[in-house]
């Protein structure tokens, strides 16, 4: 008796729980008598269920009474939201006024990031309920989850995992909804909404569980977003790795997929600086993972994706690190009012060559070259913009640093004044933002709400350090912009193992040799207040087209990869592209901790063990949207 109490107490205090709501946990005594919510059996012995996940209408789908009693165990945290756009359709929830407001704000981001189910990449939902002026058309649930657990405690997360697993219902996780591939939604599913799991604390003198690290650290919860990290940095006069998009969640998809920032070439990736993770695994239990405990899980979570639901993390922090930045822009059609001369197309591309030749120096200085090339058909015409930011460089040093590039451009007839320089301790996009950005915030280029498809590829140093390879890379990028009429978004950074501090984690090996994370995407359509219905056939054709341009990049970057968080989850070579040589080891971790495939997501480890089927049971052709039924392959 005494000894078992002791063991229990010891087990509880051994978990480095960071927030009060993490102590609110489901107990075995409470769960055991209730078949719907009991814990999973011993890991690694349960075979995955054959067949399909249960959906509404199936005999096994829980009754209204079952859901009501589930809601009771949750203390009322169960939601049954209709898609955001449903207010525009005739019926109970119809409201012309709310619909108008919705249409006005639709292209912004907060509307979607703060909603229980909505996401930025709407196309993935199957587009079954877009905001419309035709109230008599049909709105269906499509790819949106049926039920949502609005989690405010670990117990809520455990209950959702147990309930979904025991009832064989698809489970999805929504944090901020930024994922470009619709990984945070799923048709006929139960969703765990982590957005309200908040909390962030700084410790200037933290000791890691094994004692191998002492120093600055930050503990933060699953729902914390980049702007909250920025506010803490300012308050505590330190630096931590956060995403550039202010509402991106920094403990979820961002950190699990790698997570690049303003300081990628200086401190490595977000996944490189994690000290400890607390998570709920597929059996419903709370586990801690760090270099002295559940090492395999700890390894996999840092770069390899979702192997459980993270409730909080502890990450390394750094001394406040100033950054100096400035922007360069040139184009064939200078903006109205500008004194810059229009450039010929060939001069423009010669300017690009000069930039690529300079770009390795940015990486080697620990900096970031954050750039875009807009195609001729865009509102700017053929244009290049780049913000060059270098940590820990004085403004005088910075001027000396960029002068060779400006001279090169000048010699080509591209006049560039010395850029206006900014010096800041947090990424400049956060300078005036303590609060979440207002709802009316519009999507900037790259912040694509709606139907834009995106794909990515890492170019390595060998693509740029000889003039012939550089020319080849240059032409492949020019091809995408000129021939493909696509927008190019590049980030010159280099999260080498050396700058990352030689972590042993599952970060895509292709990240370690890259000097350019290159993306191609379709230009944002102008938002006219009406969401276009895009058929799956049309979307599939566009997806194929984008992948054909990626093939040009793949051909000249053999053995490299793609960034799962800002790429195409349906990349033709997804396994090699997102995980490289880590795939077999990641699959083994997946089998051990999630043998039943509770955490399936498109493009994730084990993606090919399940497939999306239509109502008639047919396997999906073309692009996969989330409005089908998830079934085990081969059953
Ligand atoms: C405007 C914008 C700016 C961006 N800026 C950057 C950037 O600077 N650097 C960068 O690296 N990426 C950036 N991204 C990409 C970003 O990393 C991905 O969109 C990422 O998936 C977002 O994670 P999330 O948890 O906020 O989003 P969600 O869409 O809510 O979730 C994404 C995935 O993570 C999983 N997940 C979320 N929370 C958890 C959890 N607690 N436990 C387990 N799994 C979880 C979900 O299941 C889902 O599969 C940006 C994206 C956008 C749209
Ligand atoms: C769950 O219970 C709460 C509180 O009683 C209630 O407000 C909510 O509507 C319920 N959810 C569902 C899906 O019925
Ligand atoms: C809506 O759905 C019904 C039933 O499936 C169908 O008969 C009708 O034509 C649809 N209406 C529109 C406008 O698509
Ligand atoms: C900045 O650089 C100097 C050397 O030039 C170094 O001593 C210092 O630690 C650096 N500061 C940070 C925060 O990296
Ligand atoms: C180019 O970079 C690769 C990889 O770092 C290196 O092996 C090679 O020696 C470099 N070549 C030149 C010419 O610098």
């Amino acid at each position: 008796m005494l000894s078992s109490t002791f063991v229990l107490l010891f087990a509880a205090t051994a978990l480095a729980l960071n927030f009060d709501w993490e102590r609110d946990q489901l107990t075995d005594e409470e769960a055991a008598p209730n078949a719907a919510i009991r814990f999973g059996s011993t890991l690694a012995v349960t075979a995955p269920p054959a067949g399909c996940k249960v959906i509404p209408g199936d005999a096994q789908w829980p009754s209204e009474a079952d859901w009501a009693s589930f809601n009771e165990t949750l203390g009322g945290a169960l939601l049954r939201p209709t898609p955001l756009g449903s207010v525009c359709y005739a019926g109970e929830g119809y409201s012309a006024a709310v619909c108008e407001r919705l249409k006005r704000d639709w292209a912004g981001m907060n509307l979607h990031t703060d909603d229980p189910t909505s996401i930025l990449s709407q196309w993935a939902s199957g587009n079954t309920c877009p905001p419309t002026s035709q109230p008599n058309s049909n709105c269906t649930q499509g790819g949106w989850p049926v039920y949502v657990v609005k989690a405010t405690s670990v117990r809520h997360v455990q209950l959702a995992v147990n309930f979904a697993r025991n009832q064989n219902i698809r489970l999805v996780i929504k944090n901020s909804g930024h994922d470009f591939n619709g990984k945070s939604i799923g048709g006929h599913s139960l969703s765990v909404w982590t957005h309200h799991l908040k909390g962030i604390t700084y410790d200037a003198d933290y000791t890691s569980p094994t004692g191998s690290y002492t120093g600055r650290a930050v503990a933060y919860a699953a729902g914390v977003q980049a702007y909250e990290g920025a506010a803490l940095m300012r308050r505590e006069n330190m630096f931590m790795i956060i995403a550039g998009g202010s509402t991106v969640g920094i403990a979820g998809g961002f950190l699990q997929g790698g997570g690049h920032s303003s300081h990628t070439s200086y401190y490595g990736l977000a996944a490189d600086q994690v000290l400890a993770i607390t998570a709920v695994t597929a059996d419903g239990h709370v586990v801690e993972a760090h270099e002295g405990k559940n090492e395999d899980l700890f390894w996999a979570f840092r770069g390899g994706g979702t192997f459980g639901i993270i409730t909080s993390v502890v990450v390394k922090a750094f001394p406040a690190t100033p950054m100096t930045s400035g922007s360069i822009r040139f184009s064939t059609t200078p903006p109205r009012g500008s004194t810059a001369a229009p450039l010929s197309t060939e001069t423009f591309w010669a300017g690009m060559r000069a930039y690529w030749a300079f770009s390795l120096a940015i990486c080697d200085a620990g900096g970031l070259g954050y750039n875009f090339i807009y195609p001729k058909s865009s509102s700017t015409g053929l244009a290049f913009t780049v913000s060059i930011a270098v940590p820990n460089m004085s403004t005088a040093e910075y001027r000396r640093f960029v002068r060779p590039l400006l001279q090169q451009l000048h010699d080509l007839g591209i006049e560039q004044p010395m850029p206006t320089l900014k010096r800041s301790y947090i990424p400049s996009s956060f300078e005036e933002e303590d609060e979440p950005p207002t709802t009316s915030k519009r999507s900037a280029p790259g912040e694509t709400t709606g139907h834009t498809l995106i794909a990515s590829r890492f170019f390595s140093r060998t693509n740029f350090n000889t003039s012939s390879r550089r020319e080849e890379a240059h032409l492949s990028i020019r091809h995408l912009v000129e021939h493909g009429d696509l927008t190019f978004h590049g980030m010159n950074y280099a999260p080498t193992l050396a700058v990352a501090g030689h972590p042993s984690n599952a970060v895509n090996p292709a990240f370690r040799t890259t000097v350019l994370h290159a993306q191609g995407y379709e230009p944002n359509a102008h938002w006219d207040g009406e969401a276009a219905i895009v058929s799956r056939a049309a979307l599939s054709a566009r997806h194929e087209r984008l992948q054909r341009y990626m093939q040009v990049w793949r051909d000249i970057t053999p053995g490299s990869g793609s960034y799962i968080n800002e790429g195409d989850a349906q990349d033709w070579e997804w396994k090699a592209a997102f995980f490289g040589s880590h795939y077999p080891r990641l699959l083994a971790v997946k089998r051990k901790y999630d043998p039943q495939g509770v955490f399936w997501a498109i493009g994730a480890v084990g993606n090919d063990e399940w497939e999306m089927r239509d109502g008639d049971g047919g396997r999906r052709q073309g692009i996969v949207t989330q409005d089908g039924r998830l079934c085990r392959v081969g059953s």
Side-chain angles (χ1 to χ4, degrees):
M1 183 70 202
L2 245 178
S3 68
S4 80
T5 309
F6 174 76
V7 168
L8 265 174
L9 276 175
F10 182 77
T13 52
L15 288 176
L17 298 171
N18 302 306
F19 304 102
D20 286 345
W21 50 261
E22 287 188 292
R23 281 182 200 96
D24 181 6
Q25 295 186 10
L26 184 67
T27 63
D28 235 339
E29 295 75 54
E30 195 184 346
N34 183 346
I37 57 162
R38 70 181 163 221
F39 286 97
S41 46
T42 317
L43 289 173
V45 299
T46 322
C52 298
K53 298 280 183 183
V54 169
I55 66 173
D58 290 352
Q60 302 98 311
W61 182 260
S63 66
E64 292 289 326
D66 295 336
W67 285 107
S69 103
F70 179 47
N71 193 13
E72 228 165 89
T73 62
L74 284 163
L78 189 69
L79 314 177
R80 189 176 192 169
T82 49
L84 254 183
S86 63
V87 294
C88 299
Y89 293 79
E92 223 181 295
Y94 178 73
S95 163
V98 178
C99 178
E100 273 318 302
R101 222 176 312 135
L102 190 70
K103 293 200 294 185
R104 195 194 60 209
D105 293 339
W106 192 257
M109 289 199 296
N110 280 37
L111 185 66
H112 306 283
T113 57
D114 293 341
D115 183 77
T117 58
S118 196
I119 58 170
L120 298 188
S121 289
Q122 289 278 319
W123 64 266
S125 72
N127 208 14
T128 56
C129 191
T132 179
S133 317
Q134 319 267 304
N136 292 320
S137 52
N138 288 323
C139 160
T140 60
Q141 201 71 18
W144 306 111
V146 188
Y147 285 98
V148 173
V149 173
K150 179 184 174 181
T152 53
S153 68
V154 164
R155 157 203 211 64
H156 287 154
V157 177
Q158 294 176 286
L159 283 166
V161 169
N162 285 350
F163 188 83
R165 188 197 59 249
N166 293 338
Q167 269 63 235
N168 195 23
I169 292 169
R170 181 175 178 191
L171 184 78
V172 299
I173 308 158
K174 187 198 167 188
N175 186 22
S176 74
H178 276 75
D179 186 77
F180 286 105
N181 290 283
K183 284 162 77 181
S184 30
I185 57 168
H188 317 297
S189 72
L190 171 65
S191 172
V192 182
W193 188 25
T194 59
H195 186 55
H196 296 277
L197 293 174
K198 292 288 190 182
I200 181 164
T201 57
Y202 174 64
D203 185 348
D205 194 18
Y206 172 85
T207 302
S208 68
T210 60
S212 66
Y213 173 82
T214 53
R216 295 178 179 83
V218 177
Y220 61 88
V224 167
Q225 292 165 284
Y227 72 88
E228 293 165 291
L232 185 74
M233 278 192 232
R234 202 181 295 112
R235 216 160 49 234
E236 300 288 356
N237 189 34
M238 53 85 194
F239 178 83
M240 65 184 285
I241 295 175
I242 59 173
S246 62
T247 51
V248 173
I250 52 175
F254 168 74
L255 177 146
Q256 292 168 19
H260 63 75
S261 71
S262 53
H263 290 57
T264 303
S265 309
Y266 204 71
Y267 293 130
L269 301 162
D272 294 331
Q273 303 304 344
V274 180
L275 295 165
I277 291 172
T278 308
V280 174
T281 42
D283 60 358
H285 290 292
V286 181
V287 301
E288 202 192 349
H290 52 70
E291 65 174 25
K293 197 167 180 187
N294 295 314
E295 290 93 339
D296 50 358
L297 187 62
F298 185 53
W299 174 82
F301 255 138
R302 290 172 300 149
T306 295
F307 297 82
I309 303 185
I310 290 181
T311 58
S312 71
V313 296
V314 182
V315 304
K316 268 188 214 173
F318 303 93
T321 309
M323 184 162 226
T324 304
S325 62
S327 296
I328 289 173
R329 180 185 192 284
F330 54 84
S331 78
T332 54
T333 47
R336 219 175 312 169
S338 148
T339 54
L343 306 176
S344 74
T345 301
E346 285 316 311
T347 304
F348 175 88
W349 289 110
M352 283 312 307
R353 274 197 196 92
Y355 174 75
W356 297 131
F358 182 73
S359 65
L360 289 184
I362 301 174
C363 295
D364 294 341
L368 170 68
Y370 187 87
N371 58 71
F372 291 92
I373 309 174
Y374 300 102
K376 196 170 162 209
S377 69
S378 69
S379 59
T380 59
L382 184 61
F384 174 63
T385 67
V386 62
S387 152
I388 299 174
V390 189
N392 207 9
M393 200 181 248
S394 71
T395 49
E397 286 166 335
Y398 185 97
R399 286 195 188 91
R400 268 200 302 283
F401 175 69
V402 295
R403 200 158 281 135
L405 173 62
L406 301 184
Q407 182 63 46
Q408 278 273 317
L409 293 174
H410 167 85
D411 293 347
L412 294 166
I414 305 174
E415 295 310 332
Q416 281 291 327
M418 180 58 69
T420 310
L421 300 188
K422 267 209 248 181
R423 210 166 150 71
S424 59
Y425 284 82
I426 51 172
S428 52
S429 54
F430 292 93
E431 262 168 1
E432 279 98 42
E433 273 180 30
D434 243 338
E435 296 301 314
T438 56
T439 312
S440 60
K441 184 179 175 202
R442 308 292 292 189
S443 313
E447 301 182 341
T448 47
T449 303
H451 293 285
T452 301
L453 300 179
I454 180 171
S456 105
R457 193 75 187 163
F458 291 123
F459 285 70
S460 68
R461 186 173 290 269
T462 52
N463 289 111
F464 286 95
N465 70 359
T466 60
S467 55
S468 60
R469 294 299 306 276
R470 192 158 62 238
E471 182 64 10
E472 177 189 65
H474 167 76
L475 289 175
S476 79
I477 292 165
R478 179 169 176 174
H479 180 70
L480 177 114
V481 174
E482 213 163 49
H483 188 266
D485 197 30
L486 297 165
T487 301
F488 172 85
H489 181 18
M491 288 173 227
N492 293 105
Y493 60 52
T496 61
L497 278 173
V499 301
H502 297 280
S504 165
N505 59 27
V507 162
N508 187 344
F511 253 125
R512 301 306 180 192
T513 52
T514 195
V515 293
L516 173 67
H517 160 38
Q519 296 166 55
Y521 60 83
E522 302 170 310
N524 256 331
H526 172 68
W527 174 245
D528 63 1
E530 196 81 354
I533 299 283
V534 183
S535 73
R536 208 193 303 154
L539 212 51
S540 295
R542 282 161 46 195
H543 177 251
E544 286 290 306
R545 180 174 188 273
L546 188 55
Q547 278 295 312
R548 281 200 299 275
Y549 285 98
M550 283 303 111
Q551 192 56 48
V552 176
W553 289 3
R554 276 189 289 261
D555 286 344
I556 62 166
T557 57
S560 189
S562 167
Y563 182 31
I564 192 160
N565 282 344
E566 290 178 321
D568 177 356
Q570 300 176 61
D571 189 286
W572 287 347
E573 293 176 4
W574 64 276
K575 234 180 238 189
F578 302 138
F579 309 102
S581 55
H582 289 330
Y583 196 82
R585 190 170 161 197
L586 284 167
L587 191 60
V589 175
K590 176 85 182 165
R591 293 244 159 88
K592 176 174 167 191
Y593 287 93
D594 184 14
Q596 292 170 280
V598 173
F599 301 116
W600 183 87
I602 190 132
V605 172
N607 169 67
D608 52 350
E609 297 180 351
W610 296 81
E611 66 192 14
M612 202 63 80
R613 292 190 195 152
D614 280 323
D616 59 9
R619 192 190 170 161
R620 287 282 169 107
Q621 300 296 317
I623 197 166
V624 174
T625 51
Q626 296 302 316
D627 50 330
R629 183 202 270 249
L630 192 62
C631 298
R632 197 79 196 159
V633 167
S635 65

